[in-house]
Amino acid sequence: MNIHEYQGKQLLSQLGVPILAGDVAYSIHDAERIARWLDEDVVVLKAQIHAGGRGKAGGVKIAHSLNEVIEGADALFNKRLITPQTPPEGKQVNRVYIEAGCKIAQEFYFCILVNRQTGGNDLIASREGGMDIEEVAAKDASLIHRVSLDSGSDLQPHHVRSLCYAMGLSGRVGRRVQDVMTRIYKGFCALDAYMVEINPLAVTEDEHVYVLDCKATFDDNALYRQRQVEEMRDDDEMDPLELEASRHDLNYVKLHGNIGLMVNGAGLSMATMDIIKHFGGEAANFMDVAGAATPQRVAAAFKLIYRDEDVRGILLNIFGGMMRCNDIAEGLVQAAREVGLKKPLVVRLEGTNVEQGQKILRDSGLPISPVGGMEEAARTIVEQVKAG
Ligand code: ADP
Ligand code: MG
């Protein structure tokens, strides 16, 4: 799960990480009220969307007066912001963070993320902050410094110190940056984050250190024990179908093809996507009706995929082990009746009571093709979708 910049800053500030004063606005009126309250010579208006690259795309505005705050807010609210990290149509701005401005002397890059290979955490830092880190890496990889902690190891002072040395920091500023990095690391662990990226971590002309931007991603499987993070979920940022899927506990990811898939188990889902491709088709989604494929969840998954306008045909490939195939078939037939099935639907059921399940499908009078094997299933749905 991702959160907004201002939410990341809220979480970090609770751990003593220095941030500038600010508050989130939901309207132009809010923006004006917050700017009055801040009472600073310079305030910065920052569009809150789950994507970076806002600065260059006009999503960060500097205001020197209340009038400029109102103008800036007017230019951001309810507009679509397109950055290199948004989908091509951009993202609508519903929230704007109003923050005190500061005089930046230097911008650093700092990121912590779980290393999937080692299972430990990696810390990455660079003195070329503020800009796209991929650009820095392409220009001169020696400007990027990494410390990899072993799985289960704690962060030691020398880890952070070595990053600060590498970035050419020393003295009071060096010690402040060290302290901030250590606190961010504690927050990263305590909050079950998967990635926290601070770009920039700014040093001001008066030698203070502030987190100026914050991008954070959290482990979905740990959200049950991170209530404060869970409550920061912004449904407007999610794909409507993915949101609906998460309500039913379905593992759903929208893809670019036109064949909707319903499968149980991540392994079988991947294999099904591969075989679809093998026969010249393209999956419209990854859908793992994980755990027990109960008739209710199969019905919910089916309706969700059916609603997707890109889907021209559906393949259900479910192994009914704990769940009986006849129950799954009942759930599917009922859902298919409810939507008034018009798109081709190929069903490959395997497991307990498979004959009964197939009979229910055949007797339903609906245009459903029950098939025996996976190859046949994939070939049939690809052919039916091509025949359109
Ligand atoms: P993004 O990464 O999406 O472009 P940032 O939050 O990093 O957005 O902001 C872009 C740039 O705007 C920063 O690199 C910094 O130079 C400037 N900036 C952001 N917040 C402030 C602030 N409060 N005061 C002064 N400058 C800021
Ligand atoms: Mg940034």
Side-chain angles (χ1 to χ4, degrees):
M1 189 185 107
N2 297 320
I3 59 172
H4 289 294
E5 169 201 353
Y6 79 94
Q7 296 168 322
K9 286 178 171 173
Q10 275 171 10
L11 292 171
L12 290 176
S13 80
Q14 288 168 5
L15 297 151
V17 173
I19 60 166
L20 291 157
D23 199 358
V24 65
Y26 292 86
S27 65
I28 301 174
H29 180 72
D30 270 356
E32 188 188 347
R33 177 182 54 76
I34 295 164
R36 273 186 204 282
W37 165 75
L38 285 173
D39 195 21
E40 297 275 339
D41 295 339
V42 179
V43 297
V44 182
L45 291 87
K46 308 181 78 178
Q48 299 298 294
I49 53 169
H50 286 184
R54 296 162 303 165
K56 280 190 204 148
V60 177
K61 304 208 178 290
I62 300 192
H64 299 87
S65 65
L66 274 182
N67 267 344
E68 287 184 17
V69 170
I70 295 165
E71 271 171 36
D74 189 40
L76 292 174
F77 271 114
N78 303 318
K79 304 283 166 18
R80 298 197 81 86
L81 188 60
I82 303 172
T83 85
Q85 295 180 22
T86 60
E89 70 278 13
K91 282 197 158 183
Q92 173 153 324
V93 180
N94 300 317
R95 307 178 192 196
V96 174
Y97 191 47
I98 317 293
E99 189 177 55
C102 69
K103 293 202 171 113
I104 303 172
Q106 246 186 314
E107 297 190 314
F108 295 91
Y109 175 91
F110 181 52
C111 174
I112 309 171
L113 74 166
V114 174
N115 182 327
R116 279 175 182 269
Q117 255 99 50
T118 63
N121 299 328
D122 281 7
L123 289 80
I124 299 166
S126 172
R127 66 183 156 83
E128 296 289 315
M131 56 170 126
D132 199 351
I133 197 66
E134 279 82 18
E135 265 174 49
V136 180
K139 197 176 71 184
D140 184 356
S142 72
L143 291 170
I144 295 178
H145 316 286
R146 181 190 290 258
V147 166
S148 295
L149 305 184
D150 291 336
S151 176
S153 290
D154 266 345
L155 183 77
Q156 302 296 332
H158 71 85
H159 292 130
V160 179
R161 208 159 48 227
S162 69
L163 286 176
C164 287
Y165 285 155
M167 290 193 291
L169 287 167
S170 61
R172 189 159 67 177
V173 169
R175 287 193 299 276
R176 282 185 176 157
V177 170
Q178 256 185 66
D179 179 62
V180 171
M181 285 182 170
T182 308
R183 285 176 196 271
I184 296 171
Y185 186 82
K186 280 196 184 130
F188 176 89
C189 297
L191 295 165
D192 293 307
Y194 176 70
M195 195 266 314
V196 171
E197 186 186 57
I198 310 297
N199 190 20
L201 179 66
V203 177
T204 58
E205 286 175 2
D206 58 1
E207 297 198 330
H208 282 93
V209 178
Y210 294 108
V211 163
L212 272 205
D213 188 10
C214 174
K215 204 168 158 185
T217 307
F218 297 86
D219 181 350
D220 290 336
N221 294 314
L223 287 176
Y224 74 95
R225 61 180 188 192
Q226 297 293 350
R227 185 108 179 245
Q228 197 186 6
V229 176
E230 166 79 51
E231 282 173 358
M232 290 179 165
R233 183 192 297 277
D234 180 358
D235 288 348
D236 292 339
E237 287 285 335
M238 290 178 76
D239 173 273
L241 292 180
E242 289 186 14
L243 180 65
E244 177 75 10
S246 75
R247 292 203 175 114
H248 293 282
D249 239 350
L250 300 163
N251 293 324
Y252 170 86
V253 181
K254 171 120 173 78
L255 301 171
H256 299 295
N258 57 11
I259 299 177
L261 299 183
M262 289 172 59
V263 189
N264 66 334
L268 190 59
S269 298
M270 306 264 238
T272 309
M273 286 167 65
D274 283 349
I275 198 162
I276 289 278
K277 198 154 189 128
H278 176 76
F279 284 110
E282 206 66 60
N285 65 282
F286 170 96
M287 163 76 85
D288 169 12
V289 194
T294 62
Q296 292 79 8
R297 297 184 60 222
V298 168
F302 175 79
K303 285 189 212 158
L304 198 144
I305 292 179
Y306 196 86
R307 244 179 38 210
D308 182 347
E309 281 171 10
D310 297 336
V311 168
R312 310 273 295 280
I314 299 177
L315 170 62
L316 176 141
N317 184 14
I318 286 186
F319 177 79
M322 306 237 278
M323 281 310 304
R324 290 181 303 239
C325 292
N326 53 319
D327 288 337
I328 294 170
E330 295 273 14
L332 186 65
V333 165
Q334 199 184 332
R337 286 216 171 95
E338 276 175 41
V339 299
L341 181 66
K342 290 201 185 62
K343 304 178 186 182
L345 170 60
V346 173
V347 177
R348 185 242 177 177
L349 279 173
E350 199 54 75
T352 316
N353 293 352
V354 60
E355 290 81 11
Q356 280 182 41
Q358 286 179 343
K359 185 168 178 331
I360 291 168
L361 297 176
R362 272 194 304 271
D363 294 351
S364 68
L366 290 164
I368 301 177
S369 327
V371 296
M374 213 157 129
E375 253 187 68
E376 192 191 342
R379 197 182 319 110
T380 312
I381 191 65
V382 172
E383 277 168 10
Q384 291 192 358
V385 164
K386 281 209 175 124

